[in-house]
Amino acid sequence: MSAQDRLTDGLYGLGWSTVRKLPEPAAVRLGRTIADLAWKQRGKGVQRLESNYARVVPGASPERLAELSRAGMRSYLRYWMESFRLPAWSAERIKGGVEVKDLHHLTEGLAAGKGVVLALPHLANWDLAGAWVTTKLGIPFTTVAERLKPETLYDRFVAYREGLGMEVLPHSGGTTFGTLARRLRDGGLVCLVADRDLSASGVEVDFFGDTARMPAGPALLAQQTGALLLPVTLWYDDSPVMRGRVHTPVDVPESGTRAEKTSVMTQALADAFATGIADHPQDWHMLQRLWLADLDPAKGTT
């Protein structure tokens, strides 16, 4: 392991071991302080966040974009502070930490025994939402995690999420899609963060007026298993409670090839994501390149 990898792993380990012990008000203050320092330094992540917000809020002045990126970094650090502390939260704290509108789409879909795919963008805290699903609703689910470097950091994330009651599969695993399909055919729940394609072979969608790529997996799983496909958006307000909404189901088109159906369904997900992001842009933690025009044309990746 390189020195940089050891440093990265050590810093995350320090966060989980130290921040989780802080009183909640102290953790909130620490997160805001770190966010403001990072924002003032205007590193690559902050600049990319601001560039992405410029697409989400067209016509925004430089002052408005700066204001948004500062709020965005505070939201991003709130995510991290919550995530570091989640393993120490009581069941009651988790149950009271989230409120979701139109939850009936999820509960009725599972009651029908069809299996459900929840697809989310990088809004607010998807880990907290997952912990709420397993703790408040008592529903286990399967998700996928990007293989991070160093490998020890990936192992930390897997252990953390499994500790919250999630089954975690590797994004790059050759059997991952088949396992997800089996869970759905058994009437289970699968949750996928799905606004950024990690394979460079995703589906092109119109997203805030320009072309981006999003993963085909959610649409393909729904087609192959008959599972219900539900977009979900999350956001913060000024309270300690995170808000969420389960959007109306994305139907499988009655006609067309598999690729055509996948394109239509993925565009519908992108449209639902865009609605949530436009309403709460500061809670969209996209510090990477997303639109094709911003990607390296030689590699098609960030």
Side-chain angles (χ1 to χ4, degrees):
M1 186 189 299
S2 69
Q4 179 63 46
D5 285 348
R6 286 196 298 272
L7 176 62
T8 300
D9 183 61
L11 288 173
Y12 279 98
L14 182 65
W16 266 300
S17 64
T18 302
V19 174
R20 68 188 294 176
K21 299 176 183 177
L22 293 174
E24 192 157 345
V28 170
R29 288 194 300 270
L30 177 61
R32 180 161 292 199
T33 298
I34 295 172
D36 288 349
L37 285 172
W39 177 77
K40 288 176 182 177
Q41 291 175 354
R42 291 197 58 78
K44 289 183 178 179
V46 173
Q47 292 180 46
R48 176 51 52 190
L49 185 66
E50 215 163 273
S51 176
N52 289 339
Y53 286 159
R55 292 179 180 272
V56 173
V57 188
S61 66
E63 293 78 15
R64 171 61 175 149
L65 290 176
E67 178 184 274
L68 266 179
S69 64
R70 184 179 189 185
M73 290 304 296
R74 287 182 171 186
S75 175
Y76 186 47
L77 264 294
R78 175 174 172 176
Y79 160 77
W80 279 112
M81 292 298 109
E82 287 178 346
S83 295
F84 285 143
R85 289 174 46 75
L86 258 178
W89 280 15
S90 68
E92 290 309 308
R93 176 67 180 89
I94 293 172
K95 290 177 182 178
V98 182
E99 289 187 0
V100 179
K101 298 178 180 179
D102 298 325
L103 187 62
H104 65 92
H105 292 307
L106 169 60
T107 55
E108 290 171 2
L110 289 173
K114 298 176 60 177
V116 174
V117 180
L118 295 181
L120 306 88
H122 286 80
L123 273 169
N125 192 336
W126 46 98
D127 285 324
L128 172 55
W132 183 81
V133 167
T134 59
T135 305
K136 173 74 172 181
L137 303 183
I139 301 171
F141 68 88
T142 304
T143 189
V144 173
E146 177 184 0
R147 279 204 175 276
L148 302 171
K149 292 184 179 180
E151 191 74 15
T152 51
L153 180 57
Y154 171 76
D155 292 340
R156 284 183 187 274
F157 269 96
V158 170
Y160 156 66
R161 286 173 174 147
E162 288 179 341
L164 298 175
M166 312 174 193
E167 179 188 22
V168 183
L169 306 176
H171 179 270
S172 57
T175 62
T176 295
F177 187 90
T179 302
L180 294 174
R182 285 195 298 275
R183 300 291 182 269
L184 292 168
R185 291 191 181 103
D186 290 340
L189 175 63
V190 166
C191 300
L192 301 171
V193 179
D195 58 342
R196 180 169 174 252
D197 178 52
L198 298 175
S199 67
S201 59
V203 179
E204 292 190 2
V205 295
D206 178 82
F207 197 53
F208 290 101
D210 208 343
T211 304
R213 267 198 305 260
M214 294 188 181
L220 288 173
L221 284 167
Q223 289 178 61
Q224 292 194 19
T225 68
L228 199 65
L229 177 55
L230 297 173
V232 175
T233 53
L234 306 169
W235 66 92
Y236 290 129
D237 56 20
D238 293 330
S239 78
V241 178
M242 182 177 70
R243 314 295 173 178
R245 177 188 172 195
V246 181
H247 295 250
T248 56
V250 173
D251 294 327
V252 178
E254 295 182 1
S255 61
T257 65
R258 184 172 71 168
E260 289 168 344
K261 292 178 180 179
T262 301
S263 177
V264 170
M265 295 172 73
T266 306
Q267 182 64 60
L269 285 180
D271 292 343
F273 294 166
T275 298
I277 293 167
D279 287 344
H280 307 279
Q282 71 277 4
D283 292 324
W284 189 42
H285 308 149
M286 187 55 66
L287 281 72
Q288 299 84 20
R289 301 174 190 268
L290 181 72
W291 284 270
L292 299 192
D294 296 332
L295 296 174
D296 182 338
K299 298 179 180 179
T301 58
T302 57

